[in-house]
Amino acid sequence: MDSEAVRSFVRAAELGQLRHAADELGVTQQAVSKRIATLERELEVRLFTRTARGVELTLDGQAFLPHARSIVTGVDRAVAAIKPGSRALRIDVLGLRSAQAVVLHDYWRSHPDTDLDVVTLRVNDPRAVVAAIQAGDIDASFRTITDPAALPREVRMIHAFDSPLELLVGPRHPLAAARTLTPSQLRKHRIWVPGIAPRSEWAEFYDQLTTDFGLRVDAAGPHFGNEVLLDILAESDDVATLVGARDRYIWPTNHDLRRIPIVNPTLAYPLSLIFLSTNPHPGLRAVINHCASLTPLPGTVWLPSWPRTPHHTADDPEPR
C-alpha cells in the first residue's frame, strides 16, 4: 500500500477538501485525487463522496480513517527513528479557524522555515486526545484536562494563552449598537451555542460561566456548521452567540454581523497545551515559548476555576 496515498487520504479527510490537502502536501490537487482513486481501487471501496463544499467520508472511509492515521504515524516514526526532527511538528487544534490555529499561523509567519503540521482530531473527549499523544499520533494538542490529577505521569499540560470572548450578533439584535458589553448586560438575552458536547472541556466552561453570571446559554440542536449559525444570527433579532476574539469568521457583507468585546470583567477561555514530557521534537519548545510571549489580557479577567498556576516555559514544563 502506497503510504503517500494513505497520507493524502488522511489529510483530505481532516481538511475536507482535496485542494487544501494538496497545498499542505506540496503536490497538485490532481495528484491527490489520483492517489486516493488508486487507494480506492486497491481497497475496492469508495472512501469519499463529493459535496458542494469539498469531500465527505463514506462509511467505509470513516472505518478506514483511524487505521490510515496509524499507518501514517508508523511511517513518520520509522523516519524519525533514523532522522530525529526530520518530520513536521504535528499539533492538534479545535478548528482551523480557531484562536489556536491563528496563534500557530502567527508563529509560522515569523518562523517560515518551521515544518508545522496543524491537524484537527475531531474528538470531544480530552482523554482521546491524551491517548493520541501517548500513541505518537500527534506531538501536542491545544486542549485542557480540567482535572490535571487525571493526567498520566508522562503527559504534561501547560497554560498556553487566554482567549477573550466577544458577543456576535446580527444588525437587528437589541445589543447590536453597543461598542462594549458587560456580563450583566447579557443576562436577559439568549446566547445560542449549539452542539456543546457532554464531558468536553467547553461544556464545563459554559457550566461555570452560566453559574457565575446567570447567563442564558442555549445548547439546543445540532451544530450544522458556522455558515448556518452565521446565517441565523444575521436574520435574528434575539439570538446571539459567543466567539473568541482571535477566532476567524467569514460572512457575506450583507449579514452586517457585529463582534462586541465583553469587559468588566473580560470573559476569557483558558487554552492549554498538552504533550509528552519526553517528546524529542526540536520544534515543540519554540512553539511553547511563543505562546509564553503573548501579551496578557489587560484589566480584570474572569476565568473558570481550573487555571490556577502561571505559565511555564519548555524549560519547566510542569502541569498546571
Side-chain angles (χ1 to χ4, degrees):
M1 185 175 293
D2 183 353
S3 63
E4 289 309 306
V6 178
R7 188 185 302 275
S8 296
F9 161 73
V10 170
R11 297 309 286 134
E14 291 172 340
L15 298 174
Q17 290 194 8
L18 300 184
R19 177 172 57 83
H20 291 168
D23 290 343
E24 292 206 3
L25 294 171
V27 298
T28 65
Q29 181 174 336
Q30 184 180 20
V32 169
S33 182
K34 285 183 177 180
R35 288 176 182 178
I36 293 173
T38 300
L39 187 60
E40 289 177 324
R41 286 195 298 271
E42 185 173 351
L43 296 173
E44 298 182 346
V45 298
R46 289 188 64 191
L47 298 173
F48 289 113
T49 57
R50 292 187 176 274
T51 70
R53 292 179 178 173
V55 291
E56 292 183 356
L57 290 169
T58 63
L59 292 177
D60 288 321
Q62 293 174 32
F64 183 58
L65 181 58
H67 304 289
R69 283 193 175 120
S70 297
I71 292 171
V72 172
T73 299
V75 171
D76 289 342
R77 283 179 178 173
V79 173
I82 58 174
K83 296 180 180 179
S86 62
R87 63 171 175 79
L89 175 67
R90 199 170 209 217
I91 299 181
D92 164 59
V93 297
L94 289 176
L96 295 178
R97 296 184 184 274
S98 67
Q100 310 101 301
V102 172
V103 165
L104 282 179
H105 184 228
D106 290 342
Y107 167 76
W108 180 81
R109 289 176 63 190
S110 60
H111 302 79
D113 294 332
T114 302
D115 194 5
L116 185 62
D117 191 6
V118 181
V119 302
T120 55
L121 291 185
R122 298 186 182 181
V123 295
N124 296 319
D125 190 340
R127 294 175 299 181
V129 175
V130 170
I133 291 171
Q134 291 176 300
D137 295 341
I138 55 175
D139 292 294
S141 175
F142 279 101
R143 307 282 182 128
T144 298
I145 303 295
T146 56
D147 179 12
L151 283 170
R153 291 187 60 183
E154 70 275 15
V155 176
R156 294 290 179 262
M157 182 175 69
I158 62 171
H159 178 250
F161 62 92
D162 297 322
S163 179
L165 299 186
E166 297 174 333
L167 192 75
L168 181 62
V169 299
R172 298 166 54 193
H173 194 279
L175 299 177
R179 302 188 67 176
T180 61
L181 292 165
T182 63
S184 61
Q185 290 176 284
L186 307 181
R187 285 181 184 151
K188 296 181 180 180
H189 298 276
R190 179 191 176 199
I191 301 174
W192 189 38
V193 186
I196 298 177
R199 302 173 64 183
S200 64
E201 63 186 82
W202 49 93
E204 184 167 342
F205 173 84
Y206 282 112
D207 282 346
Q208 294 192 29
L209 184 66
T210 55
T211 298
D212 287 1
F213 294 100
L215 302 185
R216 181 186 167 198
V217 174
D218 181 4
H223 183 34
F224 287 103
N226 289 335
E227 291 83 359
V228 174
L229 176 61
L230 298 175
D231 289 345
I232 293 173
L233 292 175
E235 297 296 327
S236 176
D237 59 4
D238 67 342
V239 178
T241 195
L242 292 171
V243 298
R246 285 190 176 96
D247 294 348
R248 287 185 177 135
Y249 289 89
I250 300 174
W251 56 78
T253 304
N254 60 1
H255 276 17
D256 194 21
L257 299 182
R258 322 288 174 84
R259 298 179 67 150
I260 309 171
I262 301 170
V263 298
N264 297 325
T266 296
L267 305 182
Y269 192 102
L271 293 159
S272 303
L273 193 67
I274 306 175
F275 55 93
L276 281 179
S277 59
T278 56
N279 188 298
H281 200 290
L284 183 57
R285 181 187 300 268
V287 170
I288 293 172
N289 288 337
H290 173 75
C291 291
S293 72
L294 297 176
T295 304
L297 300 182
T300 304
V301 178
W302 176 90
L303 293 165
S305 62
W306 65 75
R308 293 301 187 198
T309 60
H311 187 111
H312 296 279
T313 69
D315 295 317
D316 182 25
E318 292 297 323
R320 38 177 297 240

